Amino acid sequence: MSKKSIRDVEVSGKKVLVRCDFNVPLSKTDGSISDDKRIRESLPTIKHLLSGGARVILCSHMGRPKGEFNEKYTLKPVAERLSELLGFEVPLAPDVIGDKVTALIDALEPGRAVLLENVRFYKEEEKNDPAFAKKLADMAELYVNDAFGTAHRAHASTAGVASYLPAVCGFLIEKELSVIGGAISEPKRPFVAILGGAKVSDKIGVIDNLLNIADAVIIGGGMAYTFLKAQGLEIGTSLCDEERIDVAKKAIEKAKEKGVKFYMPIDVVCASEISADAEAKTFDADKIPADLMGLDIGEKTRKLYEDVIKDAKTVIWNGPMGVFEIDKFSGGTRAVANAMAASEGITIIGGGDSASAAGKLGLADKMTHISTGGGATLEYLEGIELPGIAALNDK
Ligand code: ADP
Ligand code: MG
């Protein structure tokens, strides 16, 4: 079912509470914002509301202040950066709720914005306390959620508040829902899912759900070795999740039952340790030496995976194929990213490290969509209903 967005509502003159994801990384030395991408990504939604004559009340969390005021987690740097980007002063409210905040909002002109302090300064936020959610709601006439990255959390500002106000999504969430939601509900086929990264435990739910939908599943990265071991292969000192070998076996069986093609590495780049100085050598997947670890997919595997990606109409990729942070183990990740970039089908990246790998390669613009959520994207791909989205009004 599709959700209402800011396109579907009248905002002129209204006080609009907008939940953003301003959880930006700060420099450890001087506390300045080291990457303002999340702030810039929220601008289309904010500008749409401002130019529509709304009185915009912005709110977000930052870090984990444990439910009390903590200067270290103030949103002051965010208010300053927002002011620069919007070209007028966005004042930071002295608190999240309370009389002083209400007064500031009452004085707000249409087409102007104010930023509330860090919502996690109240322990009621993460507890999704109804009274706190109502206090947030009472400040506004419309609620807009645009924080996809926290949509898997049922907190007061991400879900609870929607019980008391008309609730719609902003452009960021709207795009996540239409691109990822569209791809998994009515995929253009063949639909290929590529899963990599470090841990089987992080991704097994996603693999399980995608086996219901995809035509092919490709496995790489650190978790591939648990799958190789599940098939009785020697994996040397590679990463292995002993407790999930059975789960891996079941996934391989499920793929067979469902007629989903299941690709695992046929050769791997090995070394004695995760280090730029370690000597890298490629072995077939059934000949991994006992004293070495697999740190990337090999040339033959890359070729195989490229061919599968080339024929796909939809590709979803989550998790690097190897330890891409080190140049000599980055070839597999690069091959997958390049093949996706060259594809004319729908290409979606979910996952922080995969997105940063594509970014480093200068391929971000060549993808249909790079998801802004980490955990939220994974839960969405797992087929779990996200509370922050479920709470919004249906169309
Ligand atoms: P994403 O953020 O895209 O979801 P993950 O966080 O699951 O990806 O995994 C990324 C991490 O996995 C990277 O730090 C990478 O170095 C690591 N990794 C990939 N392949 C291997 C491997 N063969 N052995 C150990 N670690 C690996
Ligand atoms: Mg990661």
Side-chain angles (χ1 to χ4, degrees):
M1 181 144 9
S2 72
K3 294 292 179 182
K4 270 194 187 161
S5 87
I6 45 176
R7 292 174 212 274
D8 304 315
V9 285
E10 182 53 58
V11 300
S12 178
K14 281 191 188 148
K15 290 188 271 190
V16 183
L17 177 68
V18 190
R19 178 53 158 102
C20 295
D21 179 6
F22 293 145
N23 185 27
V24 289
L26 299 178
S27 142
K28 287 207 174 59
T29 46
D30 63 358
S32 66
I33 297 170
S34 47
D35 183 358
D36 67 356
K37 187 162 172 273
R38 287 181 171 161
I39 301 177
R40 282 184 285 108
E41 279 176 339
S42 70
L43 292 178
T45 292
I46 297 173
K47 284 184 176 166
H48 172 90
L49 294 169
L50 293 173
S51 65
R55 298 152 75 196
V56 176
I57 309 159
L58 300 167
C59 100
S60 174
H61 78 284
M62 169 138 74
R64 298 178 180 277
K66 302 204 179 104
E68 57 188 45
F69 182 85
N70 182 339
E71 187 66 36
K72 198 177 146 205
Y73 298 105
T74 175
L75 287 177
K76 193 155 175 267
V78 175
E80 284 164 6
R81 183 59 57 89
L82 271 169
S83 303
E84 283 165 23
L85 291 167
L86 289 170
F88 62 83
E89 205 214 329
V90 178
L92 176 70
D95 202 333
V96 183
I97 49 172
D99 292 346
K100 284 188 191 145
V101 181
T102 314
L104 203 62
I105 291 166
D106 286 342
L108 199 62
E109 300 279 339
R112 292 288 154 152
V114 57
L115 174 63
L116 303 182
E117 253 301 4
N118 192 338
V119 272
R120 288 196 188 164
F121 284 171
Y122 284 79
K123 60 181 184 323
E124 290 90 339
E125 161 67 1
E126 291 184 75
K127 288 191 177 140
N128 195 10
D129 178 75
F132 180 70
K134 177 140 194 327
K135 280 182 196 156
L136 287 174
D138 283 346
M139 296 191 281
E141 296 154 276
L142 171 70
Y143 168 68
V144 175
N145 188 3
D146 214 18
F148 186 70
T150 45
H152 58 318
R153 306 278 181 233
H155 294 170
S157 73
T158 62
V161 63
S163 305
Y164 306 102
L165 285 175
V168 304
C169 62
F171 293 134
L172 276 180
I173 287 192
E174 182 188 56
K175 189 168 185 213
E176 299 279 0
L177 294 183
S178 79
V179 182
I180 307 185
I184 57 180
S185 62
E186 286 166 29
K188 293 205 167 62
R189 297 184 183 280
F191 172 19
V192 175
I194 309 166
L195 279 314
K199 289 197 258 161
V200 177
S201 55
D202 287 349
K203 313 280 166 88
I204 193 68
V206 177
I207 296 172
D208 189 60
N209 188 43
L210 290 176
L211 282 171
N212 299 324
I213 314 167
D215 301 295
V217 170
I218 289 177
I219 303 287
M223 68 175 181
Y225 303 92
T226 303
F227 284 89
L228 294 178
K229 188 150 184 187
Q231 291 193 298
L233 298 181
E234 162 72 57
I235 56 165
T237 57
S238 308
L239 216 57
C240 180
D241 189 344
E242 296 287 345
E243 281 167 27
R244 291 191 174 73
I245 293 177
D246 259 1
V247 174
K249 254 185 215 158
K250 288 208 180 89
I252 297 169
E253 275 160 26
K254 178 169 173 177
K256 251 187 221 137
E257 279 161 25
K258 298 231 162 211
V260 177
K261 295 207 178 78
F262 200 82
Y263 295 95
M264 288 169 278
I266 50 174
D267 63 343
V268 295
V269 180
C270 296
S272 59
E273 55 176 352
I274 303 181
S275 152
D277 304 323
E279 187 197 348
K281 215 174 156 208
T282 302
F283 296 89
D284 283 345
D286 59 357
K287 295 193 182 60
I288 300 176
D291 58 343
L292 296 184
M293 55 176 78
L295 295 173
D296 195 8
I297 56 173
E299 290 282 350
K300 283 190 262 185
T301 310
R302 290 173 208 174
K303 178 82 184 56
L304 172 68
Y305 290 4
E306 280 161 5
D307 285 344
V308 178
I309 294 167
K310 199 168 67 198
D311 293 333
K313 292 271 184 343
T314 304
V315 185
I316 291 185
W317 175 34
N318 177 289
M321 296 291 100
V323 182
F324 74 102
E325 297 92 337
I326 298 175
D327 209 40
K328 61 172 74 161
F329 308 119
S330 67
T333 301
R334 211 176 319 132
V336 162
N338 276 320
M340 283 178 70
S343 160
E344 276 163 25
I346 294 164
T347 48
I348 299 168
I349 299 182
D353 290 292
S354 331
S356 104
K360 268 196 214 154
L361 294 166
L363 299 174
D365 293 347
K366 300 245 161 45
M367 306 295 168
T368 308
H369 179 60
I370 298 187
S371 179
T372 52
T377 310
L378 285 180
E379 288 194 20
Y380 196 43
L381 292 175
E382 269 184 78
I384 297 172
E385 188 174 56
L386 307 182
I389 287 167
L392 302 176
N393 302 148
D394 294 322
K395 257 194 187 159

